Amino acid sequence: MIMTLSTEEGEAWVKVNRRKGRRRPGAAIGDVSAATPPPSTPTLSLEQVKQDHDRLAAHWRASPSYGRLQELLSTNATHTGNSIVVTKAICFGLGPFDPPADGSWERSRAAHIQLAAFLTIVEHLQSGASHQIRCVFQDPIFNSVDKAFIASLGHEVVESPIGFQLVDPESFAFGVHLYRDVYSQVIGTHFPAIFVGTSYELWEDLHGAENLDWARMKELDQLCVKAEFPKNQSDSTFFNTIIHWRRGDQR
């Protein structure tokens, strides 16, 4: 179920339009991830990565996407039935902050924006919590500078499969444009309180219900209130990304 909420800027909670058989850009569509490449050799210093993040995060926070996300976060409790308790936030597959050898700057740009969005959600959850929310990051392609940058923010970097093992009913799991097998591991044991990632509907659109043997994702889909992640025009960073809030009476 995807609900609608009228705002001055339009609808903040919107129904995902489904078009059978069409692949949509911006979402991982493979069933099995390719072999994970080794971490790249750093080309930027820690200070340069910090400067890039400050600039890109500030630009995103000045965008419509940020404002609409704040509005969604402020109104979700009304639709989920009660307030959500989150004790840990786990970010999967964020990607490199230091551009890889192929010069894919867009990939690094998306990593910075996704990090800013992840931390925005954590900050909102933290504002209503009486405990400190633990922030954990897992990505096998993080190099030494990527890890140092996360550590400089006061957060943890863990190796796989530790991040998957940390997911429980009081966690917030964030993974944008990941492969299906990674999502399977994220929700394989427990359903998180909040899950940000590709929706079951999109996977069904791509593969067809008869070919999609993925009971866990379908069950999560049925347990949650959902909303499209607010995105900016001409920016694919959050294309096909859905916020799932597990209803308060479902664990």
Side-chain angles (χ1 to χ4, degrees):
M1 177 174 62
I2 300 181
M3 307 184 71
T4 59
L5 173 66
S6 296
T7 69
E8 291 181 357
E9 295 184 358
E11 286 186 344
W13 294 69
V14 295
K15 181 177 177 61
V16 177
N17 294 319
R18 302 175 61 184
R19 297 180 182 177
K20 291 285 185 181
R22 293 188 63 186
R23 290 188 175 185
R24 306 175 189 181
I29 59 175
D31 286 337
V32 180
S33 61
T36 302
S40 62
T41 301
T43 61
L44 299 179
S45 67
L46 174 58
E47 188 57 36
Q48 287 174 314
V49 172
K50 288 180 178 180
Q51 291 173 359
D52 285 342
H53 182 73
D54 289 345
R55 175 175 53 83
L56 291 167
H59 186 267
W60 176 75
R61 284 193 292 267
S63 75
S65 174
Y66 174 78
R68 292 196 298 269
L69 176 60
Q70 290 281 30
E71 187 169 332
L72 282 176
L73 295 174
S74 298
T75 59
N76 83 84
T78 301
H79 301 288
T80 54
N82 62 2
S83 59
I84 291 175
V85 175
V86 170
T87 59
K88 64 178 76 74
I90 309 148
C91 183
F92 297 95
L94 191 60
F97 301 105
D98 191 348
D102 63 5
S104 180
W105 169 246
E106 180 59 30
R107 189 178 181 187
S108 297
R109 173 187 169 278
H112 283 291
I113 294 174
Q114 289 172 21
L115 173 61
F118 172 76
L119 294 178
T120 294
I121 298 174
V122 172
E123 289 167 5
H124 174 82
L125 295 169
Q126 187 67 70
S127 68
S130 59
H131 54 274
Q132 184 65 35
I133 296 175
R134 177 186 178 190
C135 287
V136 178
F137 294 77
Q138 177 181 298
D139 193 328
I141 68 172
F142 275 165
N143 63 29
S144 58
V145 172
D146 297 327
K147 292 177 180 179
F149 173 57
I150 294 296
S152 75
L153 300 176
H155 306 313
E156 302 173 56
V157 175
V158 300
E159 302 299 326
S160 180
I162 295 174
F164 301 130
Q165 295 167 351
L166 289 173
V167 176
D168 63 22
E170 294 187 347
S171 61
F172 158 40
F174 182 98
V176 177
H177 301 163
L178 303 183
Y179 285 94
R180 176 179 162 183
D181 63 322
V182 177
Y183 286 137
S184 294
Q185 293 178 81
V186 171
I187 64 174
T189 303
H190 298 286
F191 293 127
I194 304 173
F195 169 65
V196 173
T198 304
S199 70
Y200 178 81
E201 285 95 337
L202 178 61
W203 292 110
E204 188 178 20
D205 282 355
L206 294 170
H207 299 283
E210 67 279 4
N211 298 318
L212 189 62
D213 182 16
W214 199 3
R216 288 289 291 178
M217 189 65 188
K218 185 174 183 179
E219 185 178 356
L220 175 66
D221 180 78
Q222 294 170 342
L223 294 177
C224 291
V225 171
K226 297 167 290 178
E228 287 189 13
F229 199 105
K231 55 186 180 291
N232 293 317
Q233 189 173 8
S234 302
D235 184 353
S236 64
T237 301
F238 296 111
F239 197 79
N240 287 328
T241 300
I242 303 296
I243 308 175
H244 302 69
W245 282 277
R246 197 188 67 238
R247 295 183 184 87
D249 59 346
Q250 304 291 331
R251 294 176 72 88

